[in-house]
């Protein structure tokens, strides 16, 4: 009977400890990165009242008679399951997905934690705000472009300056409109006829010229004067011719052609008589608007000075095609010299008549900085509009390979900038297709910059962002994983330390031996399940009550036993 009392007492003690664990779980329901605990029980030593017997031919075997002596707490373990993530938007908050832990140090000991609510201290280090322990990682070496191999405190480059970098390469991309060749003017009259109703020809005499095929009245007569007035490329021209019996249409068109070509900068304008009896005027395409015919009027007067109205109406010219100059497309960009001074580079691309090419020229700082070489050239395209080549014009016998100019600021001179228009036969750079112009440019230089902010990615790389647009690595956070993370020893400030049963840590970075990843701007909530904890609370309470009833019942039995002798 005394044995039942001690068994019940052990059950009460075990359920009291279970209530302690449940209470701690509930208390930490909002603790960042907390892992809930679980109590495990085992039976204590059972006393053998009778040993088991083996079966014989005559009788069967018997089981041993054993009576237990209560329960023991075999262990309090952590449930190392993933907690839910809560987004905070704070760039120093980190949530870990997987079994990894952040690595912290106080200068003497190494700690591990799932609590990623970090802060920046006065020395620009990332630290745990509750303990002050410093986050550990691998610093980035800018000289070698590699990360260190030994752990050290993570510092932010708050006072760092990113030095200026001279531009070495400029990338040109986008489209040059294929419909950009220069065109000339094209004008013509309505159909003219001779007195026989046939289409007029250049040999038709002017006195024989008619407006209609059935017309009987001549447009001009012998002795009349024909006047021509025109505006060509902004120049006003005029001429006259006296009509004789032998004056032909060809004579008049020759007079008009001579007048139109009379300005100094104009040449190549032609006037012809078409097969259907029209007088046509065409200016050279390559001259564009410099030979554009803005107006062309013919008139005639008789001997008395009266105007022959039908003549002007019959020989009125209609614009069939308007002149335009070769397409010119401009792209401006900024490059930098070694001291960080900005220089404006203006590229002008002009279409070449009859070829899938554009000439180009570069002007630096509005012409105030001297272009030494590579300031002009051509860019050619294939028949499908893809890039063929961007070349520089030769300087004497030397063909430049880059745009070079004198920055004039005291920086290293000359500044050499290679132009990259893309891959030959591809559309990853410049192209020439029908459509709007869409030139863009980029370059690899920048001015001096100061640290403005930092960001953290999913594998723990800390990237510094500078005022000049440069983003460069600062360091990479270390993560630790253990063979038995439930065996870690809990310490203050949501931390853990290594224990004999956790195994040694595997320390590295995410993606390189460490499977865990980080979620920046988020925190891991505790994995406490309140519904399960309340259920366990009821079970523990009932277990304690039942064991208490065993104590009271055993006490009553002992009382009856004592009362046998009175």
């Amino acid at each position: 009977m005394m044995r039942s009392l001690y068994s019940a007492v052990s059950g009460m003690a075990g359920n009291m400890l279970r209530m302690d664990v449940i209470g701690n779980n509930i208390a930490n329901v909002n603790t960042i990165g907390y892992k809930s605990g679980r109590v495990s029980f085992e039976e204590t030593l059972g006393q053998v009242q009778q040993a088991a017997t083996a079966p014989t031919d005559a009788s069967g075997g018997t089981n041993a008679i054993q009576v237990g002596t209560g329960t023991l707490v075999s262990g309090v373990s952590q449930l190392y399951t993933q907690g839910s993530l809560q987004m905070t938007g704070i760039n120093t908050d980190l949530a870990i997905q997987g079994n990894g832990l952040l690595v912290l140090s106080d200068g003497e000991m190494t700690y591990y934690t799932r609590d990623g609510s970090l802060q920046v201290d006065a020395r620009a280090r990332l630290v745990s705000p509750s303990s002050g322990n410093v986050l550990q990682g691998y610093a980035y070496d800018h000289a070698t472009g590699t990360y260190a191999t030994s752990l050290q405190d993570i510092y932010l480059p708050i006072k760092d300056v990113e030095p200026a970098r001279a531009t070495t390469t400029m990338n040109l991309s986008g489209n040059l409109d294929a419909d950009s060749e220069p065109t000339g003017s094209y004008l013509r009259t309505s159909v003219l006829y001779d007195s026989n109703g046939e289409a007029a020809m250049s040999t038709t005499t002017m006195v024989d010229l008619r407006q209609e095929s059935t017309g009987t009245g001549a447009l001009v007569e012998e002795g009349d004067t024909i006047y021509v007035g025109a505006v060509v490329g902004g120049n006003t021209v005029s001429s006259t011719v006296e009509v004789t019996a032998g004056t032909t249409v060809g004579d008049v068109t020759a007079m008009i052609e001579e007048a139109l070509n009379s300005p100094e900068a104009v040449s190549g304008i032609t006037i012809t008589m078409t097969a259907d009896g029209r007088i046509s005027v065409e200016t050279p395409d390559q001259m564009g608007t410099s030979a554009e015919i803005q107006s062309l009027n013919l008139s005639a007067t008789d001997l008395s000075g009266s105007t022959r109205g039908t003549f002007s109406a019959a020989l009125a010219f209609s614009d069939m095609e308007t002149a335009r100059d070769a397409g010119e497309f401009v792209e401006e960009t900024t490059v930098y010299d070694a001291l960080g001074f900005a220089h404006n580079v203006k590229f002008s691309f002009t279409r070449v008549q009859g070829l899938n090419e554009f000439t180009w020229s570069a002007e630096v700082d509005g012409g105030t900085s001297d272009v030494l070489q590579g300031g002009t050239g051509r860019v050619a395209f294939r028949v499908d509009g893809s890039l063929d080549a961007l070349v520089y014009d030769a300087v004497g016998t030397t063909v430049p390979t880059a745009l070079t100019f004198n920055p004039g600021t005291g920086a290293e001179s000359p500044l050499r900038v290679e132009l990259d228009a893309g891959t030959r036969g591809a559309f990853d750079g410049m192209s020439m297709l029908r459509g709007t112009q869409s030139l863009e440019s980029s370059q690899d230089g920048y001015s001096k910059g100061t640290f403005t902010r930092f960001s953290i990615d999913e594998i723990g790389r800390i990237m510094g962002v500078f005022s000049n647009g440069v983003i460069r690595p600062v360091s990479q956070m270390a993560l630790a994983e253990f063979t038995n993370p439930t065996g870690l020893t809990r310490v203050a400030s949501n931390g853990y330390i290594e224990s004999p049963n956790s195994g040694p840590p595997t320390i590295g970075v995410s993606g390189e031996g460490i499977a865990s990843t980080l979620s920046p701007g988020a925190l891991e909530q505790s994995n406490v399940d309140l519904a399960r904890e309340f259920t366990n609370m009821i079970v523990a309470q009932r277990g304690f009550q039942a064991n208490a009833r065993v104590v009271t019942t055993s006490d009553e039995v002992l009382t009856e036993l004592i009362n046998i002798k009175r």
Side-chain angles (χ1 to χ4, degrees):
M1 186 56 63
M2 296 297 291
R3 188 165 46 223
S4 65
L5 282 171
Y6 288 112
S7 295
V9 169
S10 69
M12 292 171 65
N15 282 286
M16 288 175 63
L17 180 61
R18 188 177 189 186
M19 282 296 296
D20 291 339
V21 173
I22 293 170
N24 185 60
N25 288 341
I26 295 174
N28 286 282
V29 68
N30 290 317
T31 299
I32 301 301
Y34 174 79
K35 303 301 180 185
S36 60
R38 179 179 65 183
V39 178
S40 300
F41 296 97
E42 65 178 14
E43 184 184 16
T44 56
L45 176 67
Q47 294 181 347
V48 180
Q49 302 292 322
Q50 177 180 306
T53 62
T56 65
D57 293 338
S59 63
T62 60
N63 293 328
I65 298 175
Q66 293 178 285
V67 179
T69 57
T71 185
L72 286 175
V73 174
S74 61
V76 179
S77 58
Q78 294 183 78
L79 300 179
Y80 207 81
T81 58
Q82 180 72 46
S84 60
L85 304 188
Q86 180 181 356
M87 299 304 298
T88 66
I90 301 173
N91 65 342
T92 54
D93 285 346
L94 297 169
I96 302 173
Q97 297 193 74
N99 292 331
L101 297 100
L102 297 174
V103 183
L104 304 172
S105 175
D106 63 0
E108 296 181 358
M109 288 190 61
T110 300
Y111 300 89
Y112 309 94
T113 185
R114 298 279 296 186
D115 184 355
S117 56
L118 305 173
Q119 289 183 355
V120 180
D121 71 359
R123 294 186 179 181
R125 299 174 299 183
L126 284 174
V127 300
S128 169
S130 57
S131 66
N133 294 332
V134 183
L135 185 67
Q136 301 296 290
Y138 304 95
Y140 183 78
D141 187 340
H142 300 286
T144 63
T146 59
Y147 289 92
T149 57
S150 59
L151 285 177
Q152 54 189 279
D153 294 349
I154 290 181
Y155 286 87
L156 298 177
I158 292 178
K159 296 182 179 180
D160 279 12
V161 172
E162 185 68 20
R165 173 179 172 176
T167 300
T168 59
T169 302
M170 180 184 297
N171 297 300
L172 297 169
S173 61
N175 187 59
L176 295 174
D177 189 0
D179 184 19
S180 55
E181 288 190 84
T183 59
S185 301
Y186 179 66
L187 300 85
R188 71 181 184 184
T189 64
S190 58
V191 178
L192 300 173
Y193 301 90
D194 61 18
S195 59
N196 295 322
E198 302 292 333
M201 297 183 296
S202 60
T203 57
T204 302
T205 61
M206 291 302 297
V207 295
D208 201 29
L209 196 62
R210 303 289 186 271
Q211 185 176 11
E212 299 177 359
S213 60
T214 59
T216 57
L219 294 177
V220 292
E221 295 179 358
E222 187 177 352
D224 287 355
T225 302
I226 297 175
Y227 299 89
V228 59
V231 178
V232 183
N235 302 292
T236 302
V237 298
S238 63
S239 186
T240 60
V241 63
E242 297 292 332
V243 179
T244 66
T247 302
T248 63
V249 173
D251 295 332
V252 174
T253 57
M255 177 269 294
I256 300 173
E257 184 174 297
E258 181 181 0
L260 295 179
N261 285 292
S262 61
E264 183 177 352
V266 177
S267 63
I269 298 177
T270 58
I271 300 182
T272 57
M273 197 71 186
T274 64
D276 62 350
R278 301 173 188 267
I279 300 175
S280 66
V281 181
E282 191 170 2
T283 66
D285 285 342
Q286 65 270 21
M287 298 199 69
T289 59
S290 64
E292 180 182 11
I293 299 177
Q294 283 95 6
S295 66
L296 176 58
N297 299 298
L298 294 178
S299 62
T301 59
D302 58 19
L303 291 173
S304 65
S306 299
T307 301
R308 294 191 181 274
T310 54
F311 178 85
S312 298
L315 275 75
F317 286 88
S318 300
D319 288 328
M320 305 306 296
E321 187 174 330
T322 303
R324 72 178 184 190
D325 291 325
E328 183 174 355
F329 307 105
V330 175
E331 170 64 13
E332 295 189 46
T333 190
T334 300
V335 299
Y336 298 90
D337 61 30
L339 294 180
F341 286 95
H343 302 273
N344 177 267
V345 180
K346 178 181 178 181
F347 287 95
S348 298
F349 295 85
T350 304
R351 180 65 184 270
V352 177
Q353 173 68 27
L355 297 174
N356 287 353
E357 291 186 5
F358 285 79
T359 61
W360 62 265
S361 62
E363 181 185 74
V364 181
D365 296 332
T368 59
S369 293
D370 295 332
V371 176
L372 304 178
Q373 283 188 343
T376 60
R378 291 195 173 210
V379 57
F381 300 91
R382 299 184 177 183
V383 293
D384 62 353
S386 63
L387 177 72
D388 186 48
L390 184 147
V391 297
Y392 302 86
D393 289 337
V395 180
T397 59
T398 302
V399 178
T401 58
L403 166 66
T404 59
F405 66 92
N406 179 12
T409 60
E412 182 180 359
S413 180
L415 180 60
R416 186 177 187 276
V417 180
E418 294 184 4
L419 304 182
D420 184 357
T423 306
R424 294 187 68 179
F427 293 90
D428 58 354
M430 295 182 68
S431 62
M432 189 190 76
L433 300 169
R434 177 69 178 93
T436 56
Q437 178 265 345
S438 58
L439 274 183
E440 295 180 355
S441 59
S442 62
Q443 51 84 43
D444 59 355
Y446 43 80
S447 60
K448 176 184 75 71
T450 56
F451 180 83
T452 57
R453 58 186 177 87
F454 69 94
S455 63
I456 303 172
D457 64 16
E458 66 278 359
I459 61 173
R461 290 180 301 191
I462 301 176
M463 309 297 288
V465 182
F466 293 81
S467 59
N468 56 5
V470 173
I471 300 175
R472 62 172 171 82
V474 174
S475 57
Q476 187 167 10
M477 296 180 183
L479 291 177
E481 290 185 349
F482 290 85
T483 304
N484 176 29
T486 61
L488 291 167
T489 301
R490 289 183 293 183
V491 295
S493 302
N494 293 336
Y496 298 92
I497 58 174
E498 181 183 344
S499 77
N501 196 40
S502 66
T506 299
I507 298 179
V509 296
S510 178
E512 297 181 16
I514 301 295
S516 302
T517 59
L518 295 169
S519 294
L523 291 174
E524 181 189 13
Q525 303 301 295
S526 74
N527 65 352
V528 174
D529 184 342
L530 283 177
R532 182 178 62 192
E533 297 304 324
F534 287 138
T535 301
N536 291 339
M537 185 188 297
I538 294 171
V539 173
Q541 179 186 10
R542 293 306 182 190
F544 185 90
Q545 289 176 339
N547 280 281
R549 293 293 181 270
V550 172
V551 171
T552 56
T553 301
S554 297
D555 178 59
E556 290 175 0
V557 171
L558 287 173
T559 300
E560 290 298 327
L561 181 62
I562 293 172
N563 288 338
I564 290 177
K565 182 178 181 303
R566 296 185 178 180

